[in-house]
Amino acid sequence: MLDLSNKTYFIQVFGCQMNLSDAEHICGMLDSRGATQVGTIEKSDICIFVSCCVREAANVIFMGQVASMKNFAPASDQARITCVCGCYAQLKGKEIASELKHVNIVFGTNNIALFPQYLEQHIQSGKQVVELYDNMQADLCKCEKKQKTDYSAWLPIMTGCNNFCTYCIVPYVRGREISRPIEDVEHDLKKLCASPNLKQVTLLGQNVNSYGRDLYGSPKFAKVLELAANSGIERIRFVTSHPKDLSDETIEVFAKYSNIMPQLHLPLQSGSARILKAMNRKYDPNEYLSLVDKLKANVKDIALSTDIIVGFPGETLQDFEK
């Protein structure tokens, strides 16, 4: 195993909860090889940027920080190793490597588990390493993990998305839906239950409601949610939900267990049926509102949050008012 006992590392995460979860695995892989995490770039021998490409503002900040790395003096007599991964790397990795020659390692969303190999390859050769794959190369969830807190944990149950909303890049940088086997999720829940200070687990996926469709032919999220609720963990949450896939079975389980927190993020995106169709959302406002009524009728004191996109191409004032 690669020995990093004389190395320090700094990690900067942009974007969603999935990126935060990925970062915990990166930290776990580095810690298990002896590296020490530090709180500033200046003190680091290895600097990792986990990138996002959903929000333009995040891209600008991220690229600015990566570009400025060439101005940071190394923490030791050895040159700092600068690494870029995540969704923007998956999308623009070759351009990043070409334009920013001081970036040493670039890898995408599908091969984060192979990061230690890329690190060893760069240390041995001194050459830039660029590795991007269209398909998952290894199950990251089976790699080491360092939770940011000991009382709350992310638990990815699937990656990718099949919805292809017209404004969203996720299917192109995270790939199509890949669900983890129920047995693997159950195994992880048992491990988390053994953590003495753990109070909360959040089930993660780009669209958790469609979990299992690729493995079992139909969604099995309600079963996973019930497994989590019966695990003994004090608080269960899940993100993110697509309205078209939120089933009656899931709502029934949601309502049944008091340790499933009565909070749901359910993106609406638009109140106009015409714009929703242009967005390829596959529901209309009335269907969404019926779902909200059903949730309120079944889940006591539910707190709902949402996303709204305004100024969508072709949106009129009348669409906006809706």
Side-chain angles (χ1 to χ4, degrees):
M1 182 182 287
L2 177 64
D3 181 12
L4 298 174
S5 55
N6 63 337
K7 300 287 187 186
T8 59
Y9 72 91
F10 171 83
I11 188 163
Q12 175 73 54
V13 186
F14 298 87
C16 68
Q17 297 94 334
M18 193 65 78
N19 277 7
L20 292 171
S21 177
D22 289 349
E24 289 184 340
H25 285 288
I26 291 171
C27 292
M29 289 186 282
L30 291 170
D31 279 20
S32 69
R33 288 160 176 81
T36 302
Q37 187 171 5
V38 293
T40 64
I41 291 172
E42 290 87 346
K43 294 179 180 178
S44 67
D45 298 308
I46 304 167
C47 184
I48 309 106
F49 293 94
V50 185
S51 64
C52 170
C53 64
V54 172
R55 295 172 178 85
E56 186 177 6
N59 295 348
V60 172
I61 295 169
F62 154 71
M63 285 300 290
Q65 287 197 11
V66 175
S68 69
M69 285 300 297
K70 60 186 177 184
N71 301 319
F72 283 87
S76 63
D77 57 352
Q78 295 182 332
R80 180 179 290 108
I81 302 172
T82 301
C83 313
V84 173
C85 66
C87 293
Y88 196 75
Q90 182 70 33
L91 183 69
K92 298 285 187 180
K94 291 181 180 178
E95 290 92 331
I96 292 170
S98 176
E99 293 172 12
L100 303 175
K101 300 294 186 183
H102 62 283
V103 174
N104 306 111
I105 303 173
V106 181
F107 55 105
T109 55
N110 291 318
N111 52 323
I112 293 174
L114 304 180
F115 174 48
Q117 296 180 29
Y118 306 146
L119 198 53
E120 185 169 20
Q121 184 180 337
H122 170 72
I123 290 171
Q124 290 179 351
S125 69
K127 295 180 180 179
Q128 190 180 58
V129 177
V130 182
E131 294 287 354
L132 305 167
Y133 296 98
D134 291 331
N135 300 306
M136 193 68 65
Q137 300 298 301
D139 185 358
L140 182 61
C141 291
K142 294 182 179 178
C143 296
E144 302 89 337
K145 184 177 183 179
K146 178 184 180 181
Q147 284 178 208
K148 190 173 183 180
T149 69
D150 60 357
Y151 57 84
S152 182
W154 307 111
L155 177 52
I157 63 172
M158 64 183 301
T159 61
C161 184
N162 290 351
N163 288 316
F164 290 91
C165 302
T166 54
Y167 54 80
C168 186
I169 202 167
V170 166
Y172 303 96
V173 294
R174 285 282 180 180
R176 298 296 183 93
E177 290 176 358
I178 301 176
S179 303
R180 301 180 63 215
I182 287 178
E183 296 78 15
D184 288 359
V185 176
E186 188 172 17
H187 176 263
D188 286 354
L189 283 167
K190 288 177 180 177
K191 280 176 61 179
L192 289 168
C193 284
S195 305
N197 299 319
L198 188 80
K199 300 293 183 183
Q200 176 172 284
V201 169
T202 302
L203 306 176
L204 281 187
Q206 265 77 34
N207 178 17
V208 290
N209 295 332
S210 64
Y211 166 85
R213 184 179 278 126
D214 57 313
L215 282 180
Y216 307 112
S218 62
K220 300 292 182 184
F221 179 63
K223 182 175 181 180
V224 169
L225 188 59
E226 191 154 33
L227 273 175
N230 285 319
S231 66
I233 295 167
E234 189 173 320
R235 296 193 298 271
I236 302 297
R237 299 182 187 274
F238 56 95
V239 290
T240 292
S241 295
H242 194 297
K244 76 176 180 62
D245 295 312
L246 184 58
S247 67
D248 289 348
E249 186 181 10
T250 295
I251 294 173
E252 184 179 332
V253 173
F254 195 3
K256 182 179 177 181
Y257 294 93
S258 60
N259 62 334
I260 301 176
M261 294 298 95
Q263 180 270 324
L264 180 65
H265 188 72
L266 193 65
L268 169 61
Q269 308 302 8
S270 178
S272 162
R274 190 179 72 86
I275 295 299
L276 285 172
K277 185 175 182 181
M279 290 176 169
N280 195 34
R281 290 294 285 174
K282 298 182 175 68
Y283 56 84
D284 64 32
N286 290 332
E287 289 170 331
Y288 181 93
L289 291 173
S290 295
L291 198 56
V292 168
D293 288 341
K294 192 179 295 183
L295 285 162
K296 288 183 175 180
N298 285 274
V299 184
K300 184 181 178 182
D301 297 326
I302 189 170
L304 289 166
S305 58
T306 196
D307 295 327
I308 302 286
I309 295 174
V310 296
F312 190 81
E315 183 183 82
T316 65
L317 181 59
Q318 288 74 26
D319 292 318
F320 172 80
E321 290 297 335
K322 288 178 181 178

